[in-house]
Amino acid sequence: MTRAEPPRPPAPLPNHRNTSDPIWQRIWANYTFLTTPLRERGLVCDVGQGLNSTLIYAYPPGHDSVLIIGPEDGGWLVTHQAPAEDWTDFAAVYDSRGDSTPPAGPDARHGRLVEPLLTVIDAFLAQLPREPSTPHSAGSPVAGVAAPSAATRATRSR
C-alpha cells in the first residue's frame, strides 16, 4: 500500500483451531509489528514456531505463499512459493541474515529492520499478476483456457 492509495481494511485474521491456543496467541502478539502492515497490504497472515525461528506466513491473493523466517542470524529470510500446481517457482525474495550465516545475505546491511523488508515485499507484490477484479463464472474460458471443474478446484488447500 502506497501513501497515495486510500486505506483499506486489513486482511482477515487466520481462522483455524490454534487461534485460541495461548502459545499461538503469544507468537501472534510478538509479531504484530510485522503482521499488521502485511495485513494492511491485503495479505492473510499466520504465524508458527519452527525449531529455531518464527515463521510468518503471508498469502497474497491468488498466490500460494510468502514465507518470512526470522529474525534469525540477525535478520530475515523471505521466500515466495509459486501456486501449488507449479512447484518449480520457489525463490528467495529478501535475505538480511548475516550474524552467523556464511555468506551473509545480500540485504544483510538491513539486519532486523522491518521497513526495508516491507519495501521489498511491496515491490515483489507489485510484480505478481493480479487476480481478475470480477469473478468469472465456472466453466467460462478465461484468456482462452477453460476453468477447471469444481472437483479439481476443491482439491487445492493450504
Side-chain angles (χ1 to χ4, degrees):
M1 182 171 76
T2 65
R3 294 183 200 278
E5 292 180 32
R8 56 183 161 187
L13 292 170
N15 182 15
H16 53 70
R17 68 176 186 239
N18 292 337
T19 57
S20 60
D21 179 2
I23 295 171
W24 183 90
Q25 291 174 351
R26 185 174 56 242
I27 297 169
W28 181 265
N30 288 340
Y31 287 91
T32 57
F33 69 91
L34 185 54
T35 59
T36 299
L38 291 171
R39 290 180 57 231
E40 289 170 347
R41 288 160 169 78
L43 283 76
V44 176
C45 295
D46 199 2
V47 294
Q49 190 64 48
L51 292 175
N52 297 319
S53 57
T54 301
L55 308 173
I56 298 143
Y57 302 93
Y59 301 101
H63 300 275
D64 268 6
S65 67
V66 172
L67 176 63
I68 303 169
I69 304 168
E72 65 173 30
D73 297 330
W76 304 94
L77 175 63
V78 179
T79 63
H80 175 256
Q81 182 174 327
E85 294 81 22
D86 179 16
W87 289 98
T88 60
D89 186 10
F90 184 86
V93 175
Y94 180 82
D95 186 356
S96 66
R97 300 170 302 159
D99 286 355
S100 64
T101 305
D107 304 297
R109 68 187 179 282
H110 299 303
R112 294 179 183 220
L113 296 175
V114 173
E115 283 304 316
L117 168 87
L118 293 173
T119 300
V120 169
I121 289 176
D122 285 341
F124 180 75
L125 292 174
Q127 294 175 3
L128 291 176
R130 302 259 184 212
E131 285 189 316
S133 58
T134 57
H136 297 280
S137 61
S140 67
V142 176
V145 179
S149 68
T152 305
R153 285 192 311 267
T155 59
R156 184 173 173 191
S157 64
R158 296 210 191 278

